[in-house]
Amino acid sequence: MSVAVADPLNITPAAVAKVQDLVREEDNPELMLRVFVTGGGCAGFQYGFTFDEEPAEDDTLIDKNGIRFVIDSLSVQYLGGSTVDYTEGLEGSKFIIENPSAETTCGCGSSFSM
């Protein structure tokens, strides 16, 4: 059973709106955005985003206006207090994470170290 707790992530209205648009485009209300951390990247860890239809047993589920975000139990320790945003700019459109626990980040913002 997935765990629902006080939100470990802050999720901006722009990120919620983008996920809502993608869920609508796919015509699949079961989709949720999975936010995770993996080893690698130029700074040691890297952020990842993917869509999932079912949370794992130990996932943390966040609901924002009916739009669901999910984080695995290992990534929560690295992402606690972070903000997930969606931005459009010269570098393209992407989800980004502002992580106050990151000691260093790479130039593109997709990897970090603690």
mmCIF file of all heavy atoms in Angstrom, residues 32-62:
data_model
loop_
_atom_site.group_PDB
_atom_site.id
_atom_site.type_symbol
_atom_site.label_atom_id
_atom_site.label_comp_id
_atom_site.label_asym_id
_atom_site.label_seq_id
_atom_site.Cartn_x
_atom_site.Cartn_y
_atom_site.Cartn_z
ATOM 1 N N MET A 32 0.442 9.170 -13.298
ATOM 2 C CA MET A 32 1.005 10.044 -12.277
ATOM 3 C C MET A 32 2.470 10.281 -12.625
ATOM 4 O O MET A 32 3.113 9.439 -13.248
ATOM 5 C CB MET A 32 0.854 9.414 -10.895
ATOM 6 C CG MET A 32 1.541 8.083 -10.736
ATOM 7 S SD MET A 32 1.116 7.243 -9.217
ATOM 8 C CE MET A 32 -0.395 6.460 -9.722
ATOM 9 N N LEU A 33 2.986 11.434 -12.250
ATOM 10 C CA LEU A 33 4.383 11.738 -12.525
ATOM 11 C C LEU A 33 5.246 11.200 -11.398
ATOM 12 O O LEU A 33 5.055 11.547 -10.233
ATOM 13 C CB LEU A 33 4.609 13.247 -12.661
ATOM 14 C CG LEU A 33 6.035 13.638 -13.051
ATOM 15 C CD1 LEU A 33 6.360 13.171 -14.472
ATOM 16 C CD2 LEU A 33 6.229 15.145 -12.932
ATOM 17 N N ARG A 34 6.173 10.322 -11.760
ATOM 18 C CA ARG A 34 7.136 9.778 -10.791
ATOM 19 C C ARG A 34 8.378 10.660 -10.829
ATOM 20 O O ARG A 34 8.953 10.910 -11.882
ATOM 21 C CB ARG A 34 7.495 8.338 -11.143
ATOM 22 C CG ARG A 34 8.523 7.733 -10.193
ATOM 23 C CD ARG A 34 8.758 6.264 -10.463
ATOM 24 N NE ARG A 34 7.583 5.477 -10.136
ATOM 25 C CZ ARG A 34 7.237 5.105 -8.914
ATOM 26 N NH1 ARG A 34 7.969 5.469 -7.876
ATOM 27 N NH2 ARG A 34 6.151 4.374 -8.713
ATOM 28 N N VAL A 35 8.778 11.144 -9.661
ATOM 29 C CA VAL A 35 9.983 11.958 -9.493
ATOM 30 C C VAL A 35 10.968 11.095 -8.721
ATOM 31 O O VAL A 35 10.627 10.542 -7.679
ATOM 32 C CB VAL A 35 9.656 13.250 -8.704
ATOM 33 C CG1 VAL A 35 10.893 14.113 -8.571
ATOM 34 C CG2 VAL A 35 8.506 14.014 -9.360
ATOM 35 N N PHE A 36 12.194 10.961 -9.243
ATOM 36 C CA PHE A 36 13.144 10.064 -8.587
ATOM 37 C C PHE A 36 14.574 10.569 -8.719
ATOM 38 O O PHE A 36 14.860 11.484 -9.479
ATOM 39 C CB PHE A 36 13.016 8.644 -9.140
ATOM 40 C CG PHE A 36 13.282 8.527 -10.620
ATOM 41 C CD1 PHE A 36 14.548 8.231 -11.094
ATOM 42 C CD2 PHE A 36 12.253 8.711 -11.538
ATOM 43 C CE1 PHE A 36 14.796 8.121 -12.453
ATOM 44 C CE2 PHE A 36 12.487 8.589 -12.906
ATOM 45 C CZ PHE A 36 13.756 8.303 -13.357
ATOM 46 N N VAL A 37 15.440 9.941 -7.953
ATOM 47 C CA VAL A 37 16.872 10.230 -7.965
ATOM 48 C C VAL A 37 17.602 8.941 -8.281
ATOM 49 O O VAL A 37 17.265 7.881 -7.747
ATOM 50 C CB VAL A 37 17.330 10.770 -6.587
ATOM 51 C CG1 VAL A 37 18.843 10.893 -6.524
ATOM 52 C CG2 VAL A 37 16.669 12.102 -6.292
ATOM 53 N N THR A 38 18.602 9.026 -9.158
ATOM 54 C CA THR A 38 19.455 7.874 -9.457
ATOM 55 C C THR A 38 20.907 8.310 -9.352
ATOM 56 O O THR A 38 21.209 9.500 -9.395
ATOM 57 C CB THR A 38 19.203 7.314 -10.881
ATOM 58 O OG1 THR A 38 19.487 8.330 -11.845
ATOM 59 C CG2 THR A 38 17.781 6.838 -11.052
ATOM 60 N N GLY A 39 21.790 7.343 -9.236
ATOM 61 C CA GLY A 39 23.211 7.642 -9.251
ATOM 62 C C GLY A 39 23.628 7.998 -10.662
ATOM 63 O O GLY A 39 23.046 7.530 -11.631
ATOM 64 N N GLY A 40 24.620 8.862 -10.780
ATOM 65 C CA GLY A 40 25.116 9.247 -12.097
ATOM 66 C C GLY A 40 25.047 10.738 -12.301
ATOM 67 O O GLY A 40 24.837 11.501 -11.369
ATOM 68 N N GLY A 41 25.206 11.149 -13.533
ATOM 69 C CA GLY A 41 25.232 12.574 -13.822
ATOM 70 C C GLY A 41 26.595 13.139 -13.475
ATOM 71 O O GLY A 41 27.393 12.505 -12.791
ATOM 72 N N CYS A 42 26.849 14.345 -13.901
ATOM 73 C CA CYS A 42 28.180 14.920 -13.705
ATOM 74 C C CYS A 42 28.437 15.349 -12.266
ATOM 75 O O CYS A 42 29.578 15.586 -11.887
ATOM 76 C CB CYS A 42 28.394 16.088 -14.666
ATOM 77 S SG CYS A 42 27.131 17.356 -14.595
ATOM 78 N N ALA A 43 27.396 15.432 -11.423
ATOM 79 C CA ALA A 43 27.593 15.870 -10.046
ATOM 80 C C ALA A 43 27.387 14.754 -9.019
ATOM 81 O O ALA A 43 27.494 14.993 -7.832
ATOM 82 C CB ALA A 43 26.657 17.045 -9.733
ATOM 83 N N GLY A 44 27.064 13.532 -9.449
ATOM 84 C CA GLY A 44 26.940 12.412 -8.513
ATOM 85 C C GLY A 44 25.584 11.745 -8.503
ATOM 86 O O GLY A 44 25.478 10.535 -8.526
ATOM 87 N N PHE A 45 24.509 12.533 -8.431
ATOM 88 C CA PHE A 45 23.139 12.020 -8.511
ATOM 89 C C PHE A 45 22.440 12.777 -9.626
ATOM 90 O O PHE A 45 22.822 13.896 -9.962
ATOM 91 C CB PHE A 45 22.360 12.294 -7.207
ATOM 92 C CG PHE A 45 22.910 11.590 -6.001
ATOM 93 C CD1 PHE A 45 23.676 12.274 -5.072
ATOM 94 C CD2 PHE A 45 22.632 10.248 -5.781
ATOM 95 C CE1 PHE A 45 24.168 11.637 -3.949
ATOM 96 C CE2 PHE A 45 23.128 9.603 -4.664
ATOM 97 C CZ PHE A 45 23.891 10.297 -3.743
ATOM 98 N N GLN A 46 21.413 12.162 -10.182
ATOM 99 C CA GLN A 46 20.631 12.901 -11.161
ATOM 100 C C GLN A 46 19.143 12.708 -10.922
ATOM 101 O O GLN A 46 18.721 11.694 -10.390
ATOM 102 C CB GLN A 46 21.009 12.546 -12.590
ATOM 103 C CG GLN A 46 20.767 11.130 -13.011
ATOM 104 C CD GLN A 46 21.333 10.871 -14.400
ATOM 105 O OE1 GLN A 46 22.332 11.462 -14.800
ATOM 106 N NE2 GLN A 46 20.695 10.000 -15.134
ATOM 107 N N TYR A 47 18.384 13.729 -11.302
ATOM 108 C CA TYR A 47 16.937 13.698 -11.163
ATOM 109 C C TYR A 47 16.332 12.998 -12.363
ATOM 110 O O TYR A 47 16.869 13.054 -13.466
ATOM 111 C CB TYR A 47 16.377 15.126 -11.107
ATOM 112 C CG TYR A 47 16.935 15.965 -9.990
ATOM 113 C CD1 TYR A 47 17.722 17.081 -10.260
ATOM 114 C CD2 TYR A 47 16.666 15.651 -8.667
ATOM 115 C CE1 TYR A 47 18.218 17.870 -9.236
ATOM 116 C CE2 TYR A 47 17.166 16.427 -7.631
ATOM 117 C CZ TYR A 47 17.939 17.539 -7.931
ATOM 118 O OH TYR A 47 18.432 18.304 -6.911
ATOM 119 N N GLY A 48 15.208 12.346 -12.126
ATOM 120 C CA GLY A 48 14.505 11.701 -13.218
ATOM 121 C C GLY A 48 13.005 11.889 -13.076
ATOM 122 O O GLY A 48 12.488 12.106 -11.972
ATOM 123 N N PHE A 49 12.323 11.825 -14.203
ATOM 124 C CA PHE A 49 10.873 11.953 -14.257
ATOM 125 C C PHE A 49 10.347 10.918 -15.237
ATOM 126 O O PHE A 49 10.919 10.734 -16.306
ATOM 127 C CB PHE A 49 10.466 13.339 -14.770
ATOM 128 C CG PHE A 49 11.001 14.475 -13.959
ATOM 129 C CD1 PHE A 49 12.200 15.085 -14.291
ATOM 130 C CD2 PHE A 49 10.303 14.952 -12.863
ATOM 131 C CE1 PHE A 49 12.703 16.134 -13.553
ATOM 132 C CE2 PHE A 49 10.789 16.009 -12.106
ATOM 133 C CZ PHE A 49 11.990 16.602 -12.456
ATOM 134 N N THR A 50 9.284 10.253 -14.860
ATOM 135 C CA THR A 50 8.631 9.308 -15.753
ATOM 136 C C THR A 50 7.167 9.218 -15.351
ATOM 137 O O THR A 50 6.786 9.627 -14.257
ATOM 138 C CB THR A 50 9.315 7.922 -15.702
ATOM 139 O OG1 THR A 50 8.776 7.099 -16.721
ATOM 140 C CG2 THR A 50 9.122 7.256 -14.354
ATOM 141 N N PHE A 51 6.356 8.685 -16.244
ATOM 142 C CA PHE A 51 4.952 8.489 -15.902
ATOM 143 C C PHE A 51 4.720 7.052 -15.491
ATOM 144 O O PHE A 51 5.320 6.133 -16.029
ATOM 145 C CB PHE A 51 4.040 8.874 -17.074
ATOM 146 C CG PHE A 51 3.809 10.341 -17.148
ATOM 147 C CD1 PHE A 51 4.587 11.137 -17.966
ATOM 148 C CD2 PHE A 51 2.845 10.942 -16.361
ATOM 149 C CE1 PHE A 51 4.394 12.501 -18.016
ATOM 150 C CE2 PHE A 51 2.645 12.310 -16.391
ATOM 151 C CZ PHE A 51 3.418 13.083 -17.233
ATOM 152 N N ASP A 52 3.859 6.876 -14.511
ATOM 153 C CA ASP A 52 3.506 5.570 -13.972
ATOM 154 C C ASP A 52 1.996 5.512 -13.827
ATOM 155 O O ASP A 52 1.352 6.552 -13.700
ATOM 156 C CB ASP A 52 4.137 5.395 -12.588
ATOM 157 C CG ASP A 52 5.054 4.207 -12.514
ATOM 158 O OD1 ASP A 52 4.809 3.222 -13.238
ATOM 159 O OD2 ASP A 52 6.004 4.247 -11.718
ATOM 160 N N GLU A 53 1.461 4.298 -13.827
ATOM 161 C CA GLU A 53 0.025 4.127 -13.618
ATOM 162 C C GLU A 53 -0.305 3.580 -12.241
ATOM 163 O O GLU A 53 -1.409 3.763 -11.763
ATOM 164 C CB GLU A 53 -0.564 3.211 -14.690
ATOM 165 C CG GLU A 53 -0.591 3.833 -16.056
ATOM 166 C CD GLU A 53 -1.250 2.950 -17.091
ATOM 167 O OE1 GLU A 53 -1.586 1.784 -16.789
ATOM 168 O OE2 GLU A 53 -1.432 3.419 -18.224
ATOM 169 N N GLU A 54 0.669 2.902 -11.622
ATOM 170 C CA GLU A 54 0.430 2.309 -10.312
ATOM 171 C C GLU A 54 1.610 2.593 -9.388
ATOM 172 O O GLU A 54 2.749 2.358 -9.753
ATOM 173 C CB GLU A 54 0.258 0.788 -10.427
ATOM 174 C CG GLU A 54 -1.020 0.375 -11.108
ATOM 175 C CD GLU A 54 -1.216 -1.134 -11.063
ATOM 176 O OE1 GLU A 54 -0.781 -1.763 -10.082
ATOM 177 O OE2 GLU A 54 -1.795 -1.653 -12.013
ATOM 178 N N PRO A 55 1.324 3.080 -8.184
ATOM 179 C CA PRO A 55 2.411 3.284 -7.236
ATOM 180 C C PRO A 55 2.888 1.952 -6.666
ATOM 181 O O PRO A 55 2.129 0.991 -6.591
ATOM 182 C CB PRO A 55 1.779 4.152 -6.144
ATOM 183 C CG PRO A 55 0.316 3.868 -6.232
ATOM 184 C CD PRO A 55 0.029 3.521 -7.664
ATOM 185 N N ALA A 56 4.147 1.909 -6.291
ATOM 186 C CA ALA A 56 4.682 0.735 -5.600
ATOM 187 C C ALA A 56 4.250 0.791 -4.139
ATOM 188 O O ALA A 56 3.791 1.820 -3.645
ATOM 189 C CB ALA A 56 6.205 0.714 -5.711
ATOM 190 N N GLU A 57 4.435 -0.313 -3.453
ATOM 191 C CA GLU A 57 3.983 -0.438 -2.071
ATOM 192 C C GLU A 57 4.593 0.612 -1.138
ATOM 193 O O GLU A 57 3.943 1.116 -0.236
ATOM 194 C CB GLU A 57 4.300 -1.839 -1.572
ATOM 195 C CG GLU A 57 3.582 -2.217 -0.318
ATOM 196 C CD GLU A 57 3.748 -3.682 -0.004
ATOM 197 O OE1 GLU A 57 3.317 -4.517 -0.819
ATOM 198 O OE2 GLU A 57 4.306 -3.969 1.065
ATOM 199 N N ASP A 58 5.871 0.951 -1.356
ATOM 200 C CA ASP A 58 6.544 1.884 -0.450
ATOM 201 C C ASP A 58 6.677 3.304 -1.009
ATOM 202 O O ASP A 58 7.428 4.114 -0.495
ATOM 203 C CB ASP A 58 7.922 1.339 -0.069
ATOM 204 C CG ASP A 58 8.832 1.160 -1.272
ATOM 205 O OD1 ASP A 58 8.332 1.188 -2.417
ATOM 206 O OD2 ASP A 58 10.044 0.989 -1.073
ATOM 207 N N ASP A 59 5.926 3.627 -2.056
ATOM 208 C CA ASP A 59 5.955 4.971 -2.632
ATOM 209 C C ASP A 59 5.232 5.978 -1.752
ATOM 210 O O ASP A 59 4.310 5.630 -1.013
ATOM 211 C CB ASP A 59 5.278 4.986 -4.008
ATOM 212 C CG ASP A 59 6.142 4.407 -5.104
ATOM 213 O OD1 ASP A 59 7.365 4.253 -4.896
ATOM 214 O OD2 ASP A 59 5.593 4.109 -6.178
ATOM 215 N N THR A 60 5.639 7.230 -1.880
ATOM 216 C CA THR A 60 4.916 8.342 -1.268
ATOM 217 C C THR A 60 4.103 9.000 -2.368
ATOM 218 O O THR A 60 4.638 9.328 -3.426
ATOM 219 C CB THR A 60 5.897 9.360 -0.658
ATOM 220 O OG1 THR A 60 6.643 8.715 0.366
ATOM 221 C CG2 THR A 60 5.158 10.546 -0.072
ATOM 222 N N LEU A 61 2.826 9.163 -2.117
ATOM 223 C CA LEU A 61 1.894 9.721 -3.089
ATOM 224 C C LEU A 61 1.532 11.140 -2.680
ATOM 225 O O LEU A 61 1.226 11.393 -1.517
ATOM 226 C CB LEU A 61 0.638 8.846 -3.089
ATOM 227 C CG LEU A 61 -0.192 8.718 -4.338
ATOM 228 C CD1 LEU A 61 0.638 8.247 -5.509
ATOM 229 C CD2 LEU A 61 -1.327 7.744 -4.093
ATOM 230 N N ILE A 62 1.589 12.062 -3.648
ATOM 231 C CA ILE A 62 1.208 13.451 -3.415
ATOM 232 C C ILE A 62 0.099 13.793 -4.395
ATOM 233 O O ILE A 62 0.244 13.574 -5.597
ATOM 234 C CB ILE A 62 2.408 14.399 -3.631
ATOM 235 C CG1 ILE A 62 3.547 14.026 -2.699
ATOM 236 C CG2 ILE A 62 1.987 15.850 -3.436
ATOM 237 C CD1 ILE A 62 4.850 14.724 -3.023
#
